[in-house]
Amino acid sequence: MSLLLVVLIFQAGAAHAQGTPIVGFEDTGVDVGATNWVRDEDSGEIVPAPADYVSNDPNQYNAFPQCQVDDGNLAIDCLAKQRVCPPRADGKPGVPVIWKVAPREIENPQWTDWTGNGGGPTCLYDRNPEDLLPRIAARIQQAFENLPIAPGTLTAQPSPHTLRGAETNFYAKATEQPFDITILAQRIHIIAKPVQYRWDYGDGASLGPTATMGGPLPQNRWGEKTRTSHAYAATGDFNVVLTTYFQGTYSVNGGPNLPIPNQGQFSSPPQTVSVWRSVTRNYADDCLANPRGEGCPLGR
């Protein structure tokens, strides 16, 4: 029985010549036929690329059966110890392969063994980019948090000076932002949408996160209490920081939008607010009657 199994495997692989990459593993459920394979710059892995993907890598890659020998046959002594590829969670089987490399500009090249990722046989599964979705999903949160998302901008009324004990109105402005990146050589489109805000007022007090971004007041209403205002109890200079929370969605190769699990937090540069105190005094006359009185130009 064992001898019969070896003969069957041998015949299945005999049609593959050394210079001919695998064109399909339909007998095991894997079809890698005209796949454009590229090396992912972040992980170093060889992964399928979209049809119109342009790689800056000067090399091209392809897969060959692990036990294939130069004359197109399979080495019988290799078959007994070739790598075993367990089925994936979705039941799809894998095939043990050796990756080979050649200069990209050469057609029908003489392939040589690729030694990246330690070399040796790996398991090749279905060529569909959808098979990479779980691995992309595992990376999307970190990629989202590393995006150059512009945080919300902070405005204070009045500014840069305000009064102790008076309400200083703060409000934010933030916009939805799109980004295009690649993960595992797949095109990823991300949309970051501002959803919450947090104010750190610089004196130990804070507000949020809250969905309220606040809004401007006309000058004749400065000092009124708003949902995002703050009254300072002491004088001095305080650094106010606005943190904007963004929620994201992503799509792979133009597919449906998928939610990014957690929010990303992005803080604006500190804005200094100087808190002054107000002093009230009663005077018997004005500066016309007493030009050298306190507070008058000649009395300074």
Side-chain angles (χ1 to χ4, degrees), residues 26-45:
E26 291 83 354
D27 54 331
T28 57
V30 178
D31 180 7
V32 295
T35 298
N36 180 23
W37 298 101
V38 294
R39 185 178 65 85
D40 181 63
E41 295 181 359
D42 293 328
S43 67
E45 299 177 59

Side-chain angles (χ1 to χ4, degrees), residues 138-294:
R139 300 184 184 198
I140 194 66
Q141 185 67 46
Q142 182 178 2
F144 179 57
E145 293 175 357
N146 289 334
L147 289 174
I149 295 177
T153 58
L154 168 69
T155 300
Q157 295 177 313
S159 177
H161 311 297
T162 189
L163 294 177
R164 182 184 65 183
E167 294 287 342
T168 303
N169 181 47
F170 295 93
Y171 66 93
K173 289 184 178 179
T175 59
E176 184 176 289
Q177 300 165 55
F179 297 90
D180 292 295
I181 63 173
T182 59
I183 299 178
L184 295 175
Q186 309 306 303
R187 299 189 307 271
I188 312 297
H189 182 68
I190 295 177
I191 298 176
K193 180 180 179 180
V195 292
Q196 288 186 309
Y197 308 88
R198 173 187 170 93
W199 282 267
D200 289 287
Y201 297 115
D203 62 349
S206 63
L207 172 67
T210 172
T212 301
M213 63 191 306
L217 288 175
Q219 187 169 355
N220 61 356
R221 294 178 55 191
W222 287 3
E224 291 185 11
K225 183 175 179 60
T226 68
R227 296 176 66 181
T228 54
S229 66
H230 179 63
Y232 289 92
T235 59
D237 292 335
F238 300 93
N239 290 324
V240 185
V241 175
L242 170 69
T243 300
T244 308
Y245 295 73
F246 285 83
Q247 189 69 60
T249 60
Y250 71 103
S251 63
V252 180
N253 298 331
N257 285 328
L258 303 171
I260 297 175
N262 300 314
Q263 296 176 349
Q265 303 177 27
F266 302 87
S267 297
S268 63
Q271 178 174 321
T272 301
V273 174
S274 296
V275 180
W276 293 3
R277 65 187 178 92
S278 60
V279 177
T280 302
R281 290 190 175 94
N282 294 321
Y283 297 96
D285 45 28
D286 58 22
C287 292
L288 293 177
N290 183 12
R292 297 188 178 277
E294 185 173 355

